[in-house]
Amino acid sequence: MALPVRNNSRQVFRFIRTINPPRRFVCAAALSPEHQEPPGGGRVFSGIQPTGVPHLGNYLGALENWVSLQHRYPSVLYSIVDLHSITQPQDPARLRSNILDMAASLLACGIDPERAILFQQSKVSEHAELSWILGCLTSMPRLRHLPQWKMKSKQRSEGSVGLYTYPVLQAADILLYKSTHVPVGEDQVQHLELAQDLARIFNNNYGDLFPEPRALLSSTRKVKSLRDPSAKMSKSDPQAMATITITDSPDDVALKLRRAVTDFTSEVTFDPETRPGVSNLVTIHAAVASISAEEAVTQARGLDTGAYKKLVTDAVVQRLTPIREEIERLRSDPAHLEAVLARGNRRARELAAPVLGEVRQRVGFC
């Protein structure tokens, strides 16, 4: 919205306050007892970037576990981490759409906003402020040694400051809610270790405040690319046939699995080292059918890999169809998705503000 040129500075200031009302910073005196510590049994936090609809690997490796955790822990927060997403260039309109798509996907996969707080990270500004404070406690060599910085900065020749420091924001995401448990993949363990280190550093400097969060490693094997089974399945894979999204039609799923890389041996066996392509199909089959890899191989007895792909296709389609249909239903009602996120944002701020207030008091801001 453009301002008339003749507006004086006082009118401009009133306008800015109208669209962006001032925040009241909370200090230790405002802490209420229920916000001092997570409830008994621990608090789980995890986040996912709004980079479009999740793929099959996201669902089997993380989201299924998220659904389970909301029934096992008394306090669970899941964040759509849009602040993290802009470490890579984003089209603003696409980002807005992706945030709602991710909300729809999480709900369709089984996240219950009555059991878990589902919210949009950028709507809780305490994340960014705590990240700055923790960044001032983090050495540059500590960040340079994290593997994802090395990998991503090489891919982009040189990375942005945001890409360099985003592990500190990850730590802030976790510590802001005094989280005790964080579901992570093996490639994220070192970033969780940074959060543990920063909890210790802050506590040593300013007194005990943050628990050291523990990793909850998923027992599900990683789903590999259908075109290159030495790599993880990824939404950024340039090969369209490499990745199954959870909204793929049955025909798309069948085509992608039919073209999945295997080998020249007909029999189905599970041997990830020497037969990664066939073993990836077994991993997918076992995961979507909720059986072991051994049981999947038993079901494949007498089938060649071509016939086995049809069996895996049927299992994947059966698992994804109700999710795909629910996503389509939710996408048709963006107002509902916005309302779910708005409620989650309020609930997240109710937890975040008192903790940041305590941090501000301890570091001397108030």
Side-chain angles (χ1 to χ4, degrees):
M1 181 184 298
L3 290 172
V5 175
R6 64 177 179 274
N7 273 6
N8 61 30
S9 60
R10 182 174 298 175
Q11 288 173 314
V12 171
F13 180 68
R14 280 202 300 267
F15 174 82
I16 294 172
R17 286 174 63 93
T18 299
I19 62 172
N20 188 24
R23 296 186 64 85
R24 181 175 63 87
F25 292 109
V26 183
C27 285
L31 282 169
S32 56
E34 66 269 24
H35 290 132
Q36 293 284 348
E37 296 295 339
R43 175 171 290 151
V44 172
F45 177 92
S46 195
I48 187 168
Q49 291 195 34
T51 52
V53 171
H55 59 67
L56 184 63
N58 298 141
Y59 173 64
L60 297 175
L63 301 185
E64 259 198 331
N65 189 39
W66 283 20
V67 173
S68 173
L69 291 173
Q70 69 185 357
H71 298 285
R72 291 164 46 198
Y73 287 85
S75 181
V76 178
L77 296 99
Y78 295 136
S79 181
I80 299 173
V81 288
D82 49 344
L83 293 177
H84 289 290
S85 71
I86 63 170
T87 58
Q88 305 292 330
Q90 299 286 333
D91 174 75
R94 174 63 64 86
L95 179 57
R96 293 185 193 101
S97 175
N98 282 348
I99 289 167
L100 292 185
D101 273 355
M102 183 56 69
S105 299
L106 294 176
L107 295 174
C109 287
I111 299 302
D112 181 353
E114 297 301 319
R115 290 181 177 270
I117 298 174
L118 175 61
F119 71 101
Q120 184 180 340
Q121 179 194 32
S122 65
K123 300 296 187 181
V124 184
S125 62
E126 287 83 356
H127 287 255
E129 184 172 351
L130 182 58
S131 178
W132 173 258
I133 293 168
L134 296 179
C136 293
L137 301 175
T138 308
S139 71
M140 294 179 69
R142 182 71 174 85
L143 294 181
R144 279 198 296 267
H145 284 95
L146 291 172
Q148 292 201 8
W149 161 253
K150 295 178 183 177
M151 177 185 69
K152 291 186 177 181
S153 60
K154 285 179 181 177
Q155 290 173 348
R156 296 174 57 81
S157 298
E158 65 178 64
S160 68
V161 173
L163 182 64
Y164 185 68
T165 61
Y166 90 91
V168 180
L169 179 57
Q170 282 186 322
D173 296 337
I174 295 164
L175 299 183
L176 182 59
Y177 301 99
K178 296 187 176 181
S179 308
T180 58
H181 298 83
V182 182
V184 293
E186 291 178 1
D187 57 344
Q188 290 288 320
V189 167
Q190 284 187 282
H191 286 179
L192 181 59
E193 289 172 351
L194 177 63
Q196 295 167 336
D197 289 347
L198 287 173
R200 284 192 290 270
I201 292 168
F202 186 94
N203 292 345
N204 288 338
N205 286 349
Y206 300 109
D208 287 348
L209 178 63
F210 297 118
E212 292 182 25
R214 289 182 287 173
L216 293 173
L217 288 172
S218 172
S219 59
T220 303
R221 291 179 180 269
K222 287 192 179 301
V223 175
K224 303 293 188 178
S225 163
L226 298 179
R227 301 302 300 162
D228 177 11
S230 67
K232 289 193 305 181
M233 185 174 283
S234 170
K235 280 179 280 192
S236 60
D237 196 310
Q239 297 191 71
M241 293 292 106
T243 302
I244 295 173
T245 69
I246 61 174
T247 53
D248 276 347
S249 69
D251 287 344
D252 288 337
V253 172
L255 177 61
K256 291 177 180 181
L257 285 170
R258 194 161 57 244
R259 295 188 179 178
V261 170
T262 51
D263 52 39
F264 295 106
T265 303
S266 175
E267 182 185 7
V268 175
T269 61
F270 185 71
D271 187 351
E273 294 299 320
T274 62
R275 303 191 71 197
V278 175
S279 298
N280 190 37
L281 294 178
V282 173
T283 294
I284 292 171
H285 179 202
V288 298
S290 301
I291 58 178
S292 67
E294 292 75 17
E295 289 175 289
V297 171
T298 298
Q299 290 187 17
R301 190 169 295 153
L303 301 178
D304 60 21
T305 52
Y308 183 58
K309 288 178 178 180
K310 176 65 169 62
L311 178 64
V312 177
T313 296
D314 291 342
V316 171
V317 168
Q318 182 177 0
R319 189 63 173 273
L320 293 186
T321 294
I323 295 173
R324 186 188 73 252
E325 291 174 349
E326 180 64 3
I327 290 173
E328 291 172 357
R329 187 189 70 81
L330 289 165
R331 276 174 162 172
S332 69
D333 190 1
H336 170 69
L337 295 173
E338 291 167 355
V340 169
L341 290 178
R343 179 169 179 259
N345 298 339
R346 289 193 298 270
R347 294 172 68 196
R349 282 196 301 269
E350 288 171 1
L351 295 175
V355 175
L356 185 65
E358 178 76 7
V359 170
R360 289 174 60 81
Q361 191 276 332
R362 293 193 185 203
V363 300
F365 293 163
C366 42

